[in-house]
Amino acid sequence: MAGLCEGGNEPSGSLKAICKVAGALVIVIEAPCCCLFIDFVQNFSDWVEKRPYWNRAALYCVIALPAIFLCPGLGSIFGSGLIFTTGVIYGLMALGRKGSRQDMAAMASPPASTPQADHNTTLMEDPDVWRPT
């Protein structure tokens, strides 16, 4: 692992390549207009747009981690951290909006159709629970 950082925290060529591929992938997915000269970019971007948000969140978080773990310098953390943050934002979008106050109250309260039982009476009358020894 130490071989990926040359002279302090300067990443080596292989780690630089990983970072460049990750950055290019994010640009291809998020801004295909920047890569109009490549034929398949628009089709790939459309395919990714049809996928659920959690797929994109997982992809961004996974491609951001190698650079952070292999060479934890300021540049690697900042560059890959932005990609990771984008993944976190897509993850939050996948969770959806929080329910309204009325929805949350309805989920927290017990259903009105279920009668409330008196637990003391039930324990005293249940022969399986209360047996004289």
PDB file of all heavy atoms in Angstrom, residues 9 12 16 20 57 61-63 70 72 80 118 124:
ATOM      1  N   ASN A   9       2.983  12.293   0.348  1.00  0.00           N
ATOM      2  CA  ASN A   9       1.596  12.002  -0.007  1.00  0.00           C
ATOM      3  C   ASN A   9       1.324  12.192  -1.487  1.00  0.00           C
ATOM      4  O   ASN A   9       0.167  12.304  -1.892  1.00  0.00           O
ATOM      5  CB  ASN A   9       0.644  12.871   0.813  1.00  0.00           C
ATOM      6  CG  ASN A   9       0.535  12.399   2.241  1.00  0.00           C
ATOM      7  OD1 ASN A   9       0.719  11.223   2.508  1.00  0.00           O
ATOM      8  ND2 ASN A   9       0.244  13.306   3.145  1.00  0.00           N
ATOM      9  N   SER A  12       1.172   7.860  -6.839  1.00  0.00           N
ATOM     10  CA  SER A  12       1.936   7.305  -7.949  1.00  0.00           C
ATOM     11  C   SER A  12       1.063   7.283  -9.200  1.00  0.00           C
ATOM     12  O   SER A  12      -0.095   7.677  -9.184  1.00  0.00           O
ATOM     13  CB  SER A  12       2.400   5.899  -7.605  1.00  0.00           C
ATOM     14  OG  SER A  12       1.292   5.027  -7.570  1.00  0.00           O
ATOM     15  N   LYS A  16      -3.022   7.803  -9.713  1.00  0.00           N
ATOM     16  CA  LYS A  16      -3.467   8.931 -10.530  1.00  0.00           C
ATOM     17  C   LYS A  16      -4.409   8.452 -11.620  1.00  0.00           C
ATOM     18  O   LYS A  16      -5.411   9.114 -11.931  1.00  0.00           O
ATOM     19  CB  LYS A  16      -2.269   9.642 -11.154  1.00  0.00           C
ATOM     20  CG  LYS A  16      -1.478  10.468 -10.180  1.00  0.00           C
ATOM     21  CD  LYS A  16      -0.300  11.124 -10.881  1.00  0.00           C
ATOM     22  CE  LYS A  16       0.557  11.887  -9.906  1.00  0.00           C
ATOM     23  NZ  LYS A  16       1.716  12.503 -10.531  1.00  0.00           N
ATOM     24  N   LYS A  20      -8.259   9.595 -12.236  1.00  0.00           N
ATOM     25  CA  LYS A  20      -8.692  10.148 -13.517  1.00  0.00           C
ATOM     26  C   LYS A  20      -9.867   9.373 -14.095  1.00  0.00           C
ATOM     27  O   LYS A  20     -10.806   9.958 -14.635  1.00  0.00           O
ATOM     28  CB  LYS A  20      -7.526  10.162 -14.501  1.00  0.00           C
ATOM     29  CG  LYS A  20      -6.509  11.218 -14.179  1.00  0.00           C
ATOM     30  CD  LYS A  20      -5.355  11.201 -15.153  1.00  0.00           C
ATOM     31  CE  LYS A  20      -4.300  12.212 -14.746  1.00  0.00           C
ATOM     32  NZ  LYS A  20      -3.168  12.252 -15.661  1.00  0.00           N
ATOM     33  N   ALA A  57     -25.582   6.048  -6.162  1.00  0.00           N
ATOM     34  CA  ALA A  57     -24.962   6.349  -4.867  1.00  0.00           C
ATOM     35  C   ALA A  57     -23.894   5.311  -4.528  1.00  0.00           C
ATOM     36  O   ALA A  57     -22.784   5.661  -4.112  1.00  0.00           O
ATOM     37  CB  ALA A  57     -26.033   6.381  -3.777  1.00  0.00           C
ATOM     38  N   CYS A  61     -19.797   6.124  -4.273  1.00  0.00           N
ATOM     39  CA  CYS A  61     -19.106   5.885  -3.002  1.00  0.00           C
ATOM     40  C   CYS A  61     -17.989   4.862  -3.175  1.00  0.00           C
ATOM     41  O   CYS A  61     -16.915   5.011  -2.596  1.00  0.00           O
ATOM     42  CB  CYS A  61     -20.102   5.432  -1.944  1.00  0.00           C
ATOM     43  SG  CYS A  61     -21.199   6.760  -1.401  1.00  0.00           S
ATOM     44  N   VAL A  62     -18.223   3.843  -3.992  1.00  0.00           N
ATOM     45  CA  VAL A  62     -17.204   2.805  -4.187  1.00  0.00           C
ATOM     46  C   VAL A  62     -16.019   3.329  -4.989  1.00  0.00           C
ATOM     47  O   VAL A  62     -14.865   3.048  -4.657  1.00  0.00           O
ATOM     48  CB  VAL A  62     -17.832   1.559  -4.847  1.00  0.00           C
ATOM     49  CG1 VAL A  62     -16.781   0.609  -5.354  1.00  0.00           C
ATOM     50  CG2 VAL A  62     -18.733   0.851  -3.859  1.00  0.00           C
ATOM     51  N   ILE A  63     -16.259   4.109  -6.041  1.00  0.00           N
ATOM     52  CA  ILE A  63     -15.132   4.579  -6.848  1.00  0.00           C
ATOM     53  C   ILE A  63     -14.336   5.679  -6.147  1.00  0.00           C
ATOM     54  O   ILE A  63     -13.199   5.950  -6.522  1.00  0.00           O
ATOM     55  CB  ILE A  63     -15.551   5.041  -8.260  1.00  0.00           C
ATOM     56  CG1 ILE A  63     -16.447   6.271  -8.209  1.00  0.00           C
ATOM     57  CG2 ILE A  63     -16.180   3.933  -9.032  1.00  0.00           C
ATOM     58  CD1 ILE A  63     -16.754   6.869  -9.575  1.00  0.00           C
ATOM     59  N   LEU A  70      -5.802   4.555  -0.173  1.00  0.00           N
ATOM     60  CA  LEU A  70      -4.461   4.210  -0.630  1.00  0.00           C
ATOM     61  C   LEU A  70      -3.464   5.348  -0.496  1.00  0.00           C
ATOM     62  O   LEU A  70      -2.271   5.115  -0.326  1.00  0.00           O
ATOM     63  CB  LEU A  70      -4.517   3.725  -2.081  1.00  0.00           C
ATOM     64  CG  LEU A  70      -5.309   2.438  -2.305  1.00  0.00           C
ATOM     65  CD1 LEU A  70      -5.362   2.106  -3.781  1.00  0.00           C
ATOM     66  CD2 LEU A  70      -4.706   1.299  -1.523  1.00  0.00           C
ATOM     67  N   PRO A  72      -3.853   8.890   1.504  1.00  0.00           N
ATOM     68  CA  PRO A  72      -4.683   9.884   2.186  1.00  0.00           C
ATOM     69  C   PRO A  72      -4.066  11.280   2.244  1.00  0.00           C
ATOM     70  O   PRO A  72      -3.901  11.852   3.310  1.00  0.00           O
ATOM     71  CB  PRO A  72      -4.854   9.285   3.581  1.00  0.00           C
ATOM     72  CG  PRO A  72      -3.634   8.469   3.786  1.00  0.00           C
ATOM     73  CD  PRO A  72      -3.253   7.950   2.427  1.00  0.00           C
ATOM     74  N   SER A  80     -11.564  12.953  -4.195  1.00  0.00           N
ATOM     75  CA  SER A  80     -12.424  11.793  -4.023  1.00  0.00           C
ATOM     76  C   SER A  80     -13.539  12.067  -3.016  1.00  0.00           C
ATOM     77  O   SER A  80     -14.604  11.461  -3.099  1.00  0.00           O
ATOM     78  CB  SER A  80     -11.607  10.595  -3.566  1.00  0.00           C
ATOM     79  OG  SER A  80     -10.708  10.220  -4.579  1.00  0.00           O
ATOM     80  N   ASP A 118     -56.686  -5.054  28.999  1.00  0.00           N
ATOM     81  CA  ASP A 118     -56.163  -4.810  30.327  1.00  0.00           C
ATOM     82  C   ASP A 118     -55.178  -5.936  30.643  1.00  0.00           C
ATOM     83  O   ASP A 118     -55.573  -7.094  30.798  1.00  0.00           O
ATOM     84  CB  ASP A 118     -57.308  -4.789  31.335  1.00  0.00           C
ATOM     85  CG  ASP A 118     -56.825  -4.436  32.725  1.00  0.00           C
ATOM     86  OD1 ASP A 118     -55.667  -3.989  32.849  1.00  0.00           O
ATOM     87  OD2 ASP A 118     -57.607  -4.610  33.670  1.00  0.00           O
ATOM     88  N   MET A 124     -53.845 -12.472  35.103  1.00  0.00           N
ATOM     89  CA  MET A 124     -54.453 -13.191  36.211  1.00  0.00           C
ATOM     90  C   MET A 124     -55.383 -14.293  35.724  1.00  0.00           C
ATOM     91  O   MET A 124     -55.533 -15.315  36.375  1.00  0.00           O
ATOM     92  CB  MET A 124     -55.224 -12.223  37.114  1.00  0.00           C
ATOM     93  CG  MET A 124     -54.332 -11.181  37.770  1.00  0.00           C
ATOM     94  SD  MET A 124     -53.027 -11.902  38.750  1.00  0.00           S
ATOM     95  CE  MET A 124     -53.915 -12.413  40.159  1.00  0.00           C
TER      96      MET A 124
END
